[in-house]
Amino acid sequence: MTASQVNFASFIQARDRAASTSVVVERFKEQAIVATGVEMVYRSGSQVYPVLRGVDLTIQQGDIHLLMGPSGSGKTTLLSILAGILTPTAGSVKLLGQEITKMSRAQLAHFRLQNIGFIFQGFNLFPALTASENVEVALKVKGVRGATNRRRMAHELLAQVKLDDRINHLPRDLSGGQKQRVAIARALAGDPQIIMADEPTAALDSHSGHAVIELLRQLAKQSNRTVLIVTHDPRLIDVADRVSTLEDGILRQ
C-alpha cells in the first residue's frame, strides 16, 4: 500500500469514528420536549373537528426547533399543548423529564413559571412601563425579591439583548425590533430552560426579524436553552437545528 493510500485509509477511519461519536452524543443528549400520540379534537354539537392527529415530537435540550405550516394547520394549538396551556384530547407531553399532562392546574402554573419563557407575536409589553420596568414585572412574577435587585437584573438582561441604551424608553419610543428584544429579555427572566415563541417575527420586517431570531439563537446557545418557534416564515430556517412541518394536524419531520 502506498503512502497516499495509507493516508486516505486513515482519513476514512477517522471520519467514520467521528460520525459514530456524533451519533452517540446525539442519542444521549437530554430530551427537553417529548410529545407522544398527541391528539386534539374540538366538538360542536354532533360535529367533531380533529385539529391534531397523533403528533409525536422530540426536541433535544439546547436545540432551536422550528414548527412550520400553513395557517390553520394546528401550530398554535400544539404549542399551547406543549406549554401546558391546553390539555390534549389524547397523548402525553413531557417537559424536562416531567409529564405535564398529569399535573394539576396549580402544578402546571408553577412549572411554567419556573421553566418556560414566552415570546409573543404582538410583543405584549405594558405601554405605560419602560423597557426596564417591563422586564422587572416578569422578574417579580418569577419570585425575584427586592426592587433594587430586580432593576439590576433587568438592566443586565436588556444589555444582553443590546438595549442598554433604551432601558428607560417606553414601548411607543421603540422600533418593532427593539420591542421584540425587550420581549426576549422578559422571556429570559428567571433563567428558564425552555423558550416558546409564537410567530415572533410576524410584526417585523425581514431584516429586523432575522436579527431578532439570530440574537435569540445566540443567547439560547450560550446557556444551552431549548427554543421552540412556531412560524410560517421560511427565512428563519437557517437559524434552526431542526424543522418540523404541521399540515392538516399531521406532523412531518
Side-chain angles (χ1 to χ4, degrees), residues 1-242:
M1 184 178 292
T2 66
S4 61
Q5 289 173 323
V6 170
N7 289 338
F8 181 73
S10 299
F11 165 76
I12 294 297
Q13 291 172 357
R15 183 201 64 183
D16 290 346
R17 283 197 300 270
S20 176
T21 301
S22 176
V23 170
V24 171
V25 169
E26 182 70 20
R27 186 178 299 158
F28 289 100
K29 281 178 70 175
E30 289 187 33
Q31 297 174 336
I33 302 173
V34 180
T36 306
V38 170
E39 298 183 4
M40 192 66 177
V41 175
Y42 291 112
R43 288 180 171 82
S44 178
S46 60
Q47 298 296 313
V48 176
Y49 302 96
V51 179
L52 300 174
R53 308 166 188 260
V55 170
D56 295 322
L57 176 64
T58 298
I59 301 176
Q60 307 293 344
Q61 182 72 34
D63 274 2
I64 313 294
H65 195 107
L66 293 191
L67 179 59
M68 306 189 73
S71 297
S73 61
K75 301 189 303 298
T76 298
T77 297
L78 179 56
L79 183 72
S80 298
I81 289 173
L82 296 178
I85 296 170
L86 292 178
T87 302
T89 305
S92 67
V93 175
K94 287 185 178 180
L95 299 183
L96 304 175
Q98 299 189 49
E99 188 168 349
I100 66 169
T101 38
K102 291 186 176 179
M103 292 181 180
S104 66
R105 288 185 178 275
Q107 289 172 327
L108 265 174
H110 179 74
F111 182 89
R112 283 197 302 268
L113 193 62
Q114 298 299 315
N115 297 289
I116 305 175
F118 294 95
I119 301 173
F120 303 98
Q121 174 179 339
F123 315 130
N124 284 15
L125 301 180
F126 295 107
L129 300 183
T130 65
S132 177
E133 290 167 341
N134 267 281
V135 180
E136 289 172 49
V137 167
L139 288 165
K140 186 174 183 178
V141 171
K142 296 277 188 176
V144 177
R145 297 183 178 181
T148 301
N149 190 35
R150 289 194 295 270
R151 188 174 302 112
R152 176 186 58 80
M153 294 177 69
H155 290 185
E156 290 174 354
L157 287 168
L158 288 167
Q160 284 186 48
V161 299
K162 300 177 174 57
L163 278 183
D164 40 333
D165 60 339
R166 295 290 188 272
I167 285 173
N168 296 315
H169 285 58
L170 294 171
R172 66 169 179 262
D173 300 320
L174 301 174
S175 68
Q178 290 170 339
K179 290 176 186 176
Q180 198 60 292
R181 287 170 185 255
V182 176
I184 291 174
R186 184 182 56 189
L188 296 176
D191 196 25
Q193 286 302 296
I194 298 175
I195 301 292
M196 295 190 179
D198 190 7
E199 300 284 6
T201 62
L204 305 177
D205 60 37
S206 175
H207 176 75
S208 297
H210 197 280
V212 163
I213 294 301
E214 176 60 26
L215 174 64
L216 178 59
R217 186 192 69 80
Q218 292 172 5
L219 293 172
K221 291 298 183 181
Q222 288 170 9
S223 302
N224 198 36
R225 290 188 180 91
T226 305
V227 180
L228 174 59
I229 302 173
V230 166
T231 183
H232 64 275
D233 188 348
R235 295 169 298 186
L236 303 186
I237 289 176
D238 62 337
V239 302
D241 296 300
R242 299 285 187 276

